[in-house]
């Protein structure tokens, strides 16, 4: 609800409009003046009647907050906060919901992901293979030639009730003529016959180094591609597909940012990625930044692209730009996560650990020395303790000449790191960014190494006890889902998305500690400590009002939490339900056949829909969408009149 007094319950009218005189007053007030593509208060903004987890140890709980000029002005009891704010401040009633600092993902591939988001069918969170295949068949029917249907990561076969992937026969039956590419983690890809024809793989196509094109008895490709363990075969095959034109990439990136906003994410650190060349593939995000249309804060790392040319890449880049260039919305963070190709240990737990080549140290040292000399922070992908140990040998050698303290360099992943190497990182002033990859691959790890070995993968509690800065992220969009609540659930419960318990209590976190890893702790990894990550006077006003109370909801409901209102610097960048009219409009997904137009992003479970029904002010749900009227009316359907299109199927959302 919105309004000056915070009293009463709003009715939900057509397209979720907020009714009532108090809401009407707010909507007519200066609250919704424009700043770029976000709704920005021109005067102070108050959020009242909230349960606020501030993460400020001096002021841990509050029920109201005032915002001025993009920062928190006052946090505390409502009477105190109202006194601090201007008399004409606009007011949003949180209706007793939990308000948290905006979530920060310290490892995500958001720039690359945004360029492709509108082309991808997401199986993230889908509970059964039957549901997933129904989505696939529907998308095949919508997708025009020569476009592909792509399911590019973010899921695992273990999340499905059937505990398996589709067969190649099932794929070919579902899509005899439309190319289909399904990426499962970084271990395999499934291609139907049409996709094999599109990429030109035949009997004479050789296997690339570290990869396999599976073949039948006659030597013909079956459609299964395997990383053994090098995932380059998967990347390079995906790169053969059609790309979106520039205008569509802009639209796609905006939709991906809004999807993350809907999950409460306000900041990310982009970890670069394969086939993400700088500066060419950064043109879209830089355009959005210049146009004021970014709804995420992005600190980006530069990822080298060519083996044997890594030192030249970083020498060239460091002559042109430096860490910190940019502003609070978009800025350069440093180097990585790929520093040199000879130090990349792929995380496919279905195969044996890859041994790094003898030249790893000689390749890595000049790059690290250059970065240290030019004071560039770096991040390094490292799954296994053996790789981490060899990298630390190099870091310690460089440190003897050029102290690394204060650089905020760190390792990513570190699933099997040893106590000794944790201590070595602490001594050098480094950090560790962890991701919930084990939530998707834990079953494979246990199968290969055993349940006992999996109990500390990674040993987060030991890292924190050693004084090492630890932050959390997703490594989305391919190896895991971008949903931060899946990561938070993994940190708290120690379970995979398939329900396997991995960790004893000693390696699990309480809910507040897990939330800190997703907020204030992550600011160390972008050198922004004290600027954001808490709801505290003076910090950037980034916050999320939650659909369910994270601090109290049953553990099995944590992955289904969403944000109903997300603020970035006090600007509304996302709203649902009572708050949907406060959010800025988003253009329809492009192209019109995009999976985003019909099924959206992360799976919405039926219990969420049931709760919408309980909170909806209409008398009955429609025959098609239940009470999710906003989704129906906001959908980009293949018709010039959404009412007529849905009405044919019995939808009554238009009448609400």
């Amino acid at each position: 609800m919105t309004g000056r007094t915070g009293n009463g319950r709003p009715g939900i009218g057509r397209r979720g409009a907020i009714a009532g005189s108090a809401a009407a007053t707010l909507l007519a007030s200066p609250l919704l003046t424009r700043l770029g593509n976000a709704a920005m208060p021109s005067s102070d903004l108050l959020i009242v009647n909230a349960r606020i987890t501030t993460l400020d140890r001096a002021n841990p709980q509050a029920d109201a907050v005032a915002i001025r000029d993009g920062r928190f002005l006052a946090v505390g009891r409502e009477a105190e906060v109202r006194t601090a704010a201007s008399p004409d401040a606009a007011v949003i009633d949180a209706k007793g919901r939990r308000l948290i600092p905006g979530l920060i993902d310290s490892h995500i591939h958001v720039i690359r992901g945004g360029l492709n988001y509108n082309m991808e069918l997401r199986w993230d969170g889908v509970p059964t293979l039957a549901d997933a295949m129904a989505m696939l068949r529907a998308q095949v029917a919508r997708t025009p030639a020569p476009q592909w249907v792509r399911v590019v990561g973010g899921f695992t076969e273990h999340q499905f009730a059937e505990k398996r992937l589709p067969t190649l026969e099932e794929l070919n039956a579902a899509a005899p003529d439309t190319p289909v590419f399904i990426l499962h983690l970084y271990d395999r890809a499934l291609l139907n016959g049409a996709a094999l024809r599109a990429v030109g793989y035949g009997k004479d196509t050789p296997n690339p180094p570290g990869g396999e094109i599976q073949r039948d008895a006659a030597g013909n490709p079956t459609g299964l591609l395997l990383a053994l363990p090098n995932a380059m075969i998967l990347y390079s095959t995906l790169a053969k597909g059609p790309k979106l034109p520039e205008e569509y990439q802009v639209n796609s990136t905006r939709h991906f940012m809004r999807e993350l906003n809907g999950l409460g994410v306000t900041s990310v650190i982009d970890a670069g990625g394969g086939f993400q060349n700088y500066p060419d593939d950064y043109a879209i995000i830089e355009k959005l930044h210049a146009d004021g249309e970014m709804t995420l804060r992005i600190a980006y790392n530069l990822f080298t692209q060519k083996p044997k040319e890594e030192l030249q890449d970083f020498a060239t880049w460091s002559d042109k730009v430096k860490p910190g260039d940019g502003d609070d919305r978009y800025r350069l963070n440093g180097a990585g996560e790929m520093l040199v190709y000879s130090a990349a240990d792929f995380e496919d737990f279905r195969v044996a650990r890859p041994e790094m080549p003898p030249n790893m140290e000689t390749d890595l040292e000049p790059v690290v020395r250059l970065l240290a000399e030019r004071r560039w922070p770096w991040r390094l992908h490292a799954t296994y303790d053996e790789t981490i140990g060899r990298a630390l040998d190099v870091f310690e050698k460089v440190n003897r000449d050029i102290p690394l303290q204060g650089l905020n360099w760190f390792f990513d992943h570190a699933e099997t790191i040893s106590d000794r190497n944790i201590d070595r990182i602490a001594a050098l002033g480094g950090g560790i960014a962890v991701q919930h990859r084990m939530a998707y691959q834990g079953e494979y790890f246990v199968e290969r190494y055993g349940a006992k070995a999996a109990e500390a993968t990674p040993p987060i509690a030991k890292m924190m006890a050693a004084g090492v800065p630890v932050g959390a992220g997703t490594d989305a969009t391919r190896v895991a889902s971008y949903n931060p609540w899946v990561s938070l659930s993994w940190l708290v419960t120690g379970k995979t998305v398939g329900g396997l318990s991995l960790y004893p209590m000693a390696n699990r976190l309480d809910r507040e500690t897990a939330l800190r890893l997703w907020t204030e702790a992550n600011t160390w990894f972008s050198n922004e400590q004290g600027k954001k990550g808490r709801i505290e006077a003076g910090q950037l006003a980034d916050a999320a009002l939650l659909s369910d109370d994270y601090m109290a909801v049953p553990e099995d409901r944590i992955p289904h939490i969403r944000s109903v209102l997300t603020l970035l610097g006090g600007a509304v960048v996302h709203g649902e339900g009572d708050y949907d009219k406060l959010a800025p409009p988003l253009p329809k997904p492009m192209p019109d056949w995009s999976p985003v137009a019909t099924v959206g992003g992360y799976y919405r479970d039926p219990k969420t829909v049931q709760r919408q029904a309980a909170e909806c002010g209409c008398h009955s749900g429609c025959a098609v969408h239940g009470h999710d009227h906003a989704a129906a009316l906001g959908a980009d359907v293949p018709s010039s009149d959404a009412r007529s299109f849905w009405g044919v199927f019995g939808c009554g959302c238009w009448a609400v």
Side-chain angles (χ1 to χ4, degrees):
M1 176 180 175
T2 55
R4 292 298 300 274
T5 66
N7 296 323
R9 178 178 175 81
I12 304 296
R14 182 179 179 275
R15 299 193 68 159
I18 301 174
S21 60
T25 299
L26 175 60
L27 293 173
S29 80
L31 177 66
L32 298 185
T33 57
R34 303 288 289 175
L35 176 66
N37 212 38
M40 181 70 179
S42 59
S43 62
D44 292 351
L45 173 65
L46 289 172
I47 300 176
V48 301
N49 191 19
R51 285 177 287 182
I52 305 176
T53 298
T54 68
L55 298 182
D56 175 6
R57 289 186 169 89
N59 180 31
Q61 300 291 333
D63 61 23
V65 62
I67 297 169
R68 176 182 293 171
D69 297 329
R71 294 181 181 270
F72 294 117
L73 172 68
V75 183
R77 305 298 298 174
E78 182 177 339
E80 302 165 348
V81 170
R82 283 183 178 272
T83 300
S86 60
D88 65 343
V91 180
I92 293 177
D93 184 348
K95 297 173 58 180
R97 293 185 184 275
R98 178 73 59 182
L99 185 74
I100 64 170
L103 299 176
I104 303 169
D105 190 331
S106 59
H107 186 131
I108 187 173
H109 301 273
V110 71
I111 295 174
R112 181 184 67 191
L115 301 179
N116 301 293
Y117 178 69
N118 280 4
M119 290 193 293
E120 295 173 356
L121 178 68
R122 305 305 305 181
W123 281 356
D124 302 37
V126 176
T128 72
L129 179 60
D131 291 331
M133 289 300 292
M135 294 166 62
L136 182 80
R137 287 189 291 270
Q139 186 58 43
V140 167
R142 286 189 295 267
T143 302
Q147 300 295 333
W148 295 13
V149 175
R150 313 169 205 225
V151 181
V152 185
F155 78 100
T156 171
E157 63 181 322
H158 295 289
Q159 79 191 38
F160 297 142
E162 298 90 340
K163 302 296 182 184
R164 69 174 181 88
L165 294 173
T167 66
L168 293 168
E169 290 76 16
E170 288 169 331
L171 280 190
N172 282 299
D177 302 310
T178 302
V180 172
F181 178 99
I182 298 176
L183 177 68
H184 182 253
L185 307 173
Y186 275 158
D187 72 342
R188 64 191 55 214
L190 305 178
L191 283 68
N192 67 346
L196 286 173
R197 293 190 293 273
V199 299
Y201 289 174
K203 180 180 286 190
D204 297 328
T205 305
N207 288 332
E212 178 185 334
I213 302 171
Q214 191 184 71
R215 304 169 193 274
D216 62 20
N220 296 305
T222 64
L224 177 63
L225 308 182
L226 297 173
L228 296 174
N230 194 319
M232 187 57 65
I233 185 175
L234 312 180
Y235 306 149
S236 59
T237 304
L238 179 60
K240 295 176 183 290
K243 293 178 173 57
L244 292 173
E246 180 178 330
E247 180 185 5
Y248 289 20
Q249 289 180 339
V250 169
N251 178 281
S252 177
T253 301
R254 290 187 62 187
H255 275 272
F256 189 33
M257 289 193 293
R258 184 68 70 92
E259 168 77 354
L260 292 170
N261 296 152
L263 294 165
V265 179
T266 55
S267 291
V268 301
I269 307 177
D270 185 272
F275 296 90
Q276 184 177 329
N277 292 284
Y278 181 82
D280 295 352
D281 292 324
Y282 292 71
I284 298 300
I285 198 68
E286 290 183 356
K287 172 178 171 53
L288 288 167
H289 178 240
D291 293 345
E293 292 183 334
M294 286 181 59
T295 61
L296 287 175
R297 304 187 192 278
I298 299 178
Y300 62 94
N301 285 71
L302 296 184
F303 183 116
T304 189
Q305 295 293 316
K306 295 180 181 178
K308 305 301 182 183
E309 297 183 21
E310 300 98 334
L311 181 61
Q312 183 59 50
D313 273 345
F314 291 117
T316 300
W317 294 333
S318 60
D319 281 339
K320 296 179 179 179
V321 292
K322 63 181 184 300
D325 282 357
D327 55 30
D328 289 339
R329 198 65 63 97
Y330 180 70
R331 56 192 293 275
L332 175 62
N333 194 50
E337 65 179 296
M338 181 74 80
L339 295 183
V340 295
Y341 276 78
S342 56
D345 62 351
F346 294 97
E347 68 284 359
D348 182 358
F349 299 129
R350 298 181 71 160
V351 299
R353 176 183 64 84
E355 193 69 50
M356 296 299 94
N359 56 301
M360 171 183 159
E361 288 84 353
T362 55
D363 290 348
L364 185 59
E365 182 183 339
V367 170
V368 171
R369 190 170 293 276
L370 173 78
L371 296 173
E373 288 172 346
R374 300 191 179 187
R375 308 312 288 170
W376 268 55
W378 69 82
R379 63 192 309 160
L380 180 63
H381 164 109
T383 302
Y384 297 98
D385 186 61
E386 291 82 356
T387 308
I388 293 169
R390 291 177 63 180
L392 284 170
D393 291 343
V394 173
F395 297 172
E396 288 167 344
K397 182 178 180 181
V398 172
N399 182 67
R400 288 193 285 271
D401 301 324
I402 310 166
L404 304 185
Q405 285 284 350
L407 263 185
N408 290 30
W409 64 270
F410 57 98
F411 284 104
D412 281 300
H413 317 313
E415 277 86 356
T416 71
I417 190 170
S418 64
D419 294 357
R420 176 175 180 269
N421 281 338
I422 292 173
D423 291 339
R424 294 172 73 190
I425 292 171
L428 290 172
I432 304 173
V434 300
Q435 300 80 37
H436 63 311
R437 305 191 312 179
M438 286 293 288
Y440 292 83
Q441 301 191 63
E443 287 86 352
Y444 302 134
F445 190 96
V446 169
E447 182 178 338
R448 176 166 290 274
Y449 298 107
K452 185 65 178 177
E455 288 183 353
T457 51
I460 297 173
K462 287 185 177 180
M463 296 171 180
M464 297 176 69
V468 173
V470 179
T474 60
D475 200 6
T477 57
R478 296 177 179 177
V479 74
S481 175
Y482 52 74
N483 187 339
W485 300 102
V486 178
S487 170
L488 283 157
S489 173
W490 167 74
L491 290 167
V492 169
T493 69
K495 292 182 178 180
T496 70
V497 295
L500 177 65
S501 291
L502 293 173
Y503 310 140
M505 286 300 298
N507 200 40
R508 302 179 201 172
L509 304 181
D510 64 79
R511 297 190 193 201
E512 181 176 312
T513 301
L515 183 62
R516 286 186 186 276
L517 263 59
W518 264 92
T519 50
E520 65 169 355
N522 271 339
T523 64
W524 184 90
F525 296 85
S526 58
N527 284 279
E528 296 176 287
Q529 303 98 304
K531 182 177 288 188
K532 59 186 179 182
R534 298 190 298 270
I535 299 179
E536 177 184 328
Q539 292 213 0
L540 292 169
D542 302 345
L545 190 65
L546 303 182
S547 60
D548 298 277
D549 187 350
Y550 164 70
M551 303 305 292
V553 72
E555 287 184 348
D556 65 351
R557 298 301 301 161
I558 292 175
H560 303 291
I561 293 174
R562 292 184 57 84
S563 174
V564 297
L565 180 73
T566 306
L567 301 177
L568 188 73
V572 178
V573 293
H574 166 79
E576 292 182 8
D578 296 342
Y579 308 97
D580 68 341
K581 282 298 183 182
L582 299 181
L586 190 65
K588 294 179 179 181
M590 300 167 63
D592 57 7
W593 51 264
S594 167
V596 175
T598 48
V599 299
Y602 197 88
Y603 176 76
R604 303 289 290 270
D605 75 305
K607 289 185 179 180
T608 301
V609 177
Q610 291 171 7
R611 188 175 62 257
Q612 289 172 334
E615 296 177 352
C616 185
C618 80
H619 296 293
S620 62
C622 88
V624 179
H625 299 97
H627 293 266
D628 198 2
H629 311 296
L633 290 161
D636 180 21
V637 297
S639 167
S640 60
D641 188 342
R643 295 183 180 186
S644 298
F645 178 87
W646 287 126
V648 169
F649 298 100
C651 172
C653 291
W654 59 271
V656 175

